[in-house]
């Protein structure tokens, strides 16, 4: 009987929870997933939360299923990755009180407490909004006194998972970058920022780098999952940074992570910020490098929802076959993506086409227009990123579920005139990043993942006109109130 050594990787995203069993060379043995469960918090106009206890039971059950489907394995290490900006609050008894995901905006009413936003940007590398953890805590303090009285500390979601596994509370640096309480350049918690938000420095957990070994898995967890009690718990990191790590890029490389949202990332060797405050700068999951980011916002989610409407029972391959027959969509879309150069987000969107409705308009027309909208939004943000730090290589790495669309890959290549490189692990990029982190902790080399495809840019004479048409449509929707 052959027994395989493997890792358990827990990935808590915005939309779903995944638990994977993978070998040190990146081979996936099993991946199980379920949707995240959220509830509305009626104390705030725009707030949702999750029950940490419910999420933990969900993780345990997924882990049991993944392990059962992986054959004979011995788990050597466990790590976690998660959505950025999401946190879990811990109470006096060590209990997990409430989980606040990245899409929780309970702190929006208190954004005005930040009088010098430029100073906060200088320290944190991001323009301060209710997206980030500090303002979630401020909102909690103002309206949920019963929870705040119990408050002792908080952790990112991935760090909380590792705390559940090991009993050791630590905050990883790439996740700390999202709190507005962390000096990104200095790589440490900031007393100045804590004072701004009236948060006691003593409540902040010790920091730890990705790849740090927290210790052996707790005996109760080992027993419940029927894994070796000698399995170690390793500090992971944010899902974006681990996805980048899986691409194995070099300094100055650029990575597009096409998922629910689409971060466009440049890996840099020093702390860089934008004079116009359009970009974010964060710590990467190593000790020396940073990521410079522009984000196209909600993109892949739009594509997914349109698939549910127009192609509810068909595979993505069917969509691609129909898209290949569309020379050019008779409509144009603007669906709410973010552009770094715009001061306000697009809050109205839709499709524009000639009337009366043409017989040429098909379901694939709407999908093609959506993919063009995503590609154009990515490229606009790419231009903003290049204005801050020029991108010299003639290629761009791409990963995430959105990259599954060959049409989108080609659009991005054509618009950037860069070769798009896709590794064969692109669908599970953050999980593979977790594998690499475990390898680092155990002193094992990470096997370079194969390149699945190189998408060569093509020249399209109609491209500029279509791009201008998209910009005009976006402007028209921005004028709607």
């Amino acid at each position: 009987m052959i027994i395989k050594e493997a890792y358990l990787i827990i990935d808590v995203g915005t939309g779903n929870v995944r638990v994977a069993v993978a070998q040190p060379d990146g081979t996936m043995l099993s991946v199980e997933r379920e949707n995240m469960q959220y509830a509305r918090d009626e104390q705030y106009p725009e707030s949702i939360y999750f029950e940490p206890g419910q999420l933990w039971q969900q993780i345990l059950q997924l882990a049991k299923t993944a392990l059962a489907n992986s054959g004979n394995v011995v788990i050597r290490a466990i790590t976690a990755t998660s959505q950025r900006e999401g946190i879990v609050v811990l109470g006096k008894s060590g209990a997990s009180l409430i989980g606040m995901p990245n899409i929780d905006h309970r702190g929006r009413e208190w954004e005005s407490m930040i009088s010098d936003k430029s100073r906060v940007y200088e320290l944190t590398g991001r323009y301060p909004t209710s997206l980030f953890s500090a303002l979630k805590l401020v909102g909690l303090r103002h309206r949920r006194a019963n929870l705040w009285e119990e408050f002792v500390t908080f952790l990112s979601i991935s760090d909380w998972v590792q705390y559940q596994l090991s009993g050791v509370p630590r905050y990883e640096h790439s996740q700390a970058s999202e709190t507005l309480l962390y000096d990104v350049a200095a790589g440490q918690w900031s007393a100045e920022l804590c004072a701004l938000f009236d948060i006691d420095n003593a409540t902040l957990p010790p920091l730890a780098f990705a790849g740090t070994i927290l210790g052996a898995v707790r005996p109760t967890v080992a027993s419940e999952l029927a894994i070796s009690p000698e399995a170690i718990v390793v500090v992971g990191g944010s899902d974006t940074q681990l996805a980048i790590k899986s691409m194995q890029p070099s300094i100055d490389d650029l990575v597009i992570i096409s998922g629910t949202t689409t971060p466009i990332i440049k890996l840099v060797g020093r702390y860089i910020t934008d004079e116009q405050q359009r970009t974010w700068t964060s710590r990467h999951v190593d000790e020396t490098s940073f990521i410079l980011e522009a984000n196209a916002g909600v993109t892949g989610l739009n594509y997914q929802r349109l698939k549910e409407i127009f192609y509810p029972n068909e595979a993505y391959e069917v969509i691609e076959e129909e898209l290949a027959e569309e020379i050019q969509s008779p409509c144009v879309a603007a669906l709410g993506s973010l552009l770094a150069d715009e001061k306000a987000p697009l809050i109205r969107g839709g499709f524009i086409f000639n009337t009366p409705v043409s017989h040429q308009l098909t379901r694939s027309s709407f999908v093609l227009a959506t993919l063009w909208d995503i590609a154009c939004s990515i490229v606009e943000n790419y231009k903003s990123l290049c204005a801050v730090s020029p991108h010299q290589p003639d290629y761009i790495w791409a990963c995430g579920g959105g990259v599954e669309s060959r049409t989108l890959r080609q659009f991005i290549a054509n618009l950037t005139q860069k070769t798009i490189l896709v590794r064969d692990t692109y669908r599970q990029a953050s999980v593979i990043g977790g594998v690499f982190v475990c390898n680092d902790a155990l002193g094992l080399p990470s096997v370079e993942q194969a390149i699945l495809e190189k998408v060569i840019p093509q020249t399209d004479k109609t491209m500029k006109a279509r791009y201008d048409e998209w910009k005009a449509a976006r402007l028209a929707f921005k004028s709607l109130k």
Side-chain angles (χ1 to χ4, degrees), residues 270-313:
R270 60 187 179 89
Y271 184 68
I272 301 172
T273 55
D274 176 21
E275 290 182 359
Q276 298 181 44
Q277 302 181 358
R278 296 166 295 181
T279 60
W280 293 359
T281 310
S282 308
R283 284 273 169 173
H284 193 29
V285 285
D286 58 35
E287 298 187 22
T288 58
S289 57
F290 300 82
I291 64 170
L292 184 66
E293 173 181 355
N295 197 310
V298 174
T299 45
L301 184 61
N302 292 334
Y303 181 31
Q304 179 185 337
R305 288 179 174 167
L306 282 173
K307 180 189 181 298
E308 292 168 359
I309 295 170
F310 292 116
Y311 296 87
N313 302 310

Side-chain angles (χ1 to χ4, degrees), residues 331-348:
C331 66
V332 60
L335 299 174
S337 53
L338 299 174
L339 302 188
D341 277 338
E342 293 180 347
K343 297 299 183 185
L346 188 69
I347 59 173
R348 294 285 186 271

